[in-house]
Amino acid sequence: MTLMPLYVLLGSYFALISWRAAHDRLRPAAAARSAFFGILALLFLIGDLLPLPLAGMLVLALAVIAGWGLPQQTAAPTSPQEQHGSARLLLPVLAIPLLTIVLTLSLPHFTLAGVAFTKQSAALYGLACACVIALALALAITRNEPAVARWPAVAICWSRSVGPCCCHCCWRFSGRCLRKRAWAMRWRRRSVC
Amino acid sequence: MSAATWWALLPVAVVVLGFALRQHPARVVLVAALSAGLVGGMGVVGLLETLGSGFLSVRYLLLIVLALPVIAQVEAHGLRALARRLVGSWRGARPGRLLLGYLALRQGSSALGLTSLGGHPQMVRPLVAPMAEAAAEQEPGGADASERERTRALAAATDNVGLFFGEDLFLAFGAVLLMQAFFAERGVELAPLEIALWGLPTALLAFLIHGVRLLWRDRQRGRA
């Protein structure tokens, strides 16, 4: 089983972070962060099509941006929500390793479109599927918008009042939310899929 | 040793010097890679090709990034506070004891091939480190900023030790198979079972040494 679908998933995620970083004027080094994740997205999405010297130049650019362009990360401030974590929050965290193990052991017994999973690809697909399922679980439990990363590639998103809504709505919401957060919250409550 | 052999060690010196001077890891790795290409006589195009093919062939290592949105989501809703609360309700909790239990779990599960049951992004950062920090705060005298940093580092090191010395005991682990293939190429036929069995003393010693280190830390802090 080829790993290309996983690379596309991860590349889309990096592209999304790059796009968000480019529009995030509140944090420093927006251009550097956007470029960093944009290059990562390129390498994942079309890395196999690039000439190797060009891919090498992109890797060098990644290292230069990481070494000189990005500011030192600091811990995020504690929000009021963080004071009242319920025990259910453990479920998504524990779901990742447990689901990964279950899928790693079970996927080699299945074929997808006539292609069998090798041991390595089963572990990687298991990890990716476990992360996606755990994210859906986390969003369902917290019943809130994703805290850091939007997930438009996955057609599941849970809003506070509506429940699951479609990918397109999440995409639109995520973009506007950056500029007018308060307005977006009102819009989100009204959205009907 | 010839001069060429000494030059080949230049990238190693760059890495040692870079980290000794507390430079950013990306800078250190970048300069080391460039110096390795230079002393290897690869040329600019050869170096770029090596960098490009090297990155593209191990892209799958970054798949763990997919776990970060999950961790971010639950952390933003109080996971770390929950972990602290859980430990806070355990009287007599100490970071060393807590981490010793995690070490046993991590090393045992890795020896069974369950290496995904743990890890820095999905287990240490959201759960183990906050629990250890909360335990450190319960100690007499509490925990200042530097002690909290030390406790986090100890939690990360515990995961490393448990995984590194545990996974060598699993027969189907890539490194065990690599060792078997390496020896077979040189005419030494070894069964993976033998390699795994001979990894057992090292794993036990690693557990004992790190376990003693953890408990010693508790004792020292208790005395202080």
Side-chain angles (χ1 to χ4, degrees):
Chain A
M1 175 67 71
T2 172
L3 298 178
M4 203 56 212
L6 299 182
Y7 293 156
V8 170
L9 176 67
L10 203 50
S12 308
Y13 177 55
F14 286 136
L16 176 66
I17 297 177
S18 169
W19 178 79
R20 286 200 60 188
H23 290 80
D24 187 357
R25 301 293 176 203
L26 299 176
R27 296 178 68 190
R33 280 186 294 116
S34 179
F36 182 84
F37 287 106
I39 291 172
L40 269 180
L42 271 181
L43 285 168
F44 272 84
L45 290 172
I46 58 167
D48 293 328
L49 305 176
L50 296 174
L52 282 180
L54 180 58
M57 283 178 68
L58 291 176
V59 174
L60 266 184
L62 274 182
V64 169
I65 295 173
W68 284 275
L70 295 179
Q72 289 283 335
Q73 294 290 319
T74 53
T78 306
S79 69
Q81 283 173 315
E82 286 195 35
Q83 309 304 325
H84 309 287
S86 80
R88 289 189 308 165
L89 290 174
L90 290 172
L91 286 176
V93 177
L94 297 177
I96 294 177
L98 294 179
L99 280 174
T100 304
I101 289 166
V102 170
L103 290 170
T104 302
L105 297 177
S106 57
L107 279 179
H109 301 295
F110 296 97
T111 57
L112 191 64
V115 184
F117 288 93
T118 61
K119 268 188 176 176
Q120 191 197 20
S121 67
L124 296 173
Y125 273 92
L127 175 64
C129 292
C131 290
V132 172
I133 293 170
L135 180 64
L137 194 60
L139 294 176
I141 287 173
T142 56
R143 289 193 160 269
N144 206 342
E145 67 191 75
V148 172
R150 302 278 188 267
W151 202 267
V154 181
I156 297 173
C157 183
W158 295 81
S159 65
R160 193 188 302 274
S161 56
V162 180
C165 63
C166 70
C167 174
H168 182 64
C169 288
C170 297
W171 178 262
R172 285 184 61 197
F173 166 65
S174 64
R176 294 173 186 223
C177 174
L178 295 171
R179 293 187 293 273
K180 297 182 179 177
R181 194 175 184 84
W183 176 86
M185 288 299 287
R186 287 199 298 276
W187 178 84
R188 182 164 172 259
R189 287 191 188 116
R190 289 176 196 163
S191 68
V192 176
C193 300
Chain B
M1 288 172 80
S2 65
T5 313
W6 284 108
W7 272 113
L9 294 174
L10 178 66
V12 179
V14 168
V15 170
V16 172
L17 195 66
F19 283 117
L21 294 174
R22 293 178 172 269
Q23 289 296 307
H24 193 290
R27 292 177 203 165
V28 177
V29 171
L30 177 63
V31 176
L34 293 177
S35 61
L38 186 73
V39 298
M42 297 177 80
V44 176
V45 177
L47 178 64
L48 290 176
E49 280 180 353
T50 306
L51 283 175
S53 64
F55 182 88
L56 294 177
S57 62
V58 294
R59 272 177 296 177
Y60 63 86
L61 290 176
L62 274 177
L63 269 177
I64 196 64
V65 169
L66 291 174
L68 298 185
V70 183
I71 304 304
Q73 181 72 5
V74 288
E75 274 196 0
H77 288 81
L79 180 70
R80 292 168 69 85
L82 171 67
R84 285 167 186 272
R85 266 208 327 270
L86 288 177
V87 172
S89 61
W90 171 22
R91 287 180 188 278
R94 292 289 177 269
R97 293 177 203 168
L98 185 81
L99 292 176
L100 186 61
Y102 180 68
L103 176 66
L105 177 75
R106 184 69 166 137
Q107 202 164 347
S109 60
S110 301
L112 297 173
L114 306 177
T115 51
S116 305
L117 196 68
H120 291 175
Q122 66 267 47
M123 196 62 88
V124 175
R125 153 81 200 237
L127 282 180
V128 179
M131 284 180 166
E133 277 181 66
E137 284 164 9
Q138 284 187 25
E139 288 176 321
D144 56 8
S146 68
E147 184 55 36
R148 277 203 294 274
E149 289 292 337
R150 247 195 310 275
T151 308
R152 285 177 198 165
L154 204 54
T158 301
D159 188 274
N160 283 345
V161 172
L163 173 67
F164 189 83
F165 292 100
E167 63 188 0
D168 280 347
L169 304 180
F170 183 55
L171 300 181
F173 175 54
V176 173
L177 300 178
L178 181 70
M179 282 187 267
Q180 195 247 345
F182 177 82
F183 281 112
E185 276 177 14
R186 280 147 187 82
V188 182
E189 289 297 335
L190 289 173
L193 179 63
E194 290 172 332
I195 297 175
L197 278 179
W198 281 101
L200 203 55
T202 319
L204 282 174
L205 278 176
F207 182 83
L208 284 176
I209 291 169
H210 194 66
V212 167
R213 189 179 166 209
L214 291 170
L215 295 178
W216 181 257
R217 180 242 170 247
D218 279 357
R219 190 173 168 178
Q220 292 294 100
R221 286 279 298 166
R223 281 183 182 174

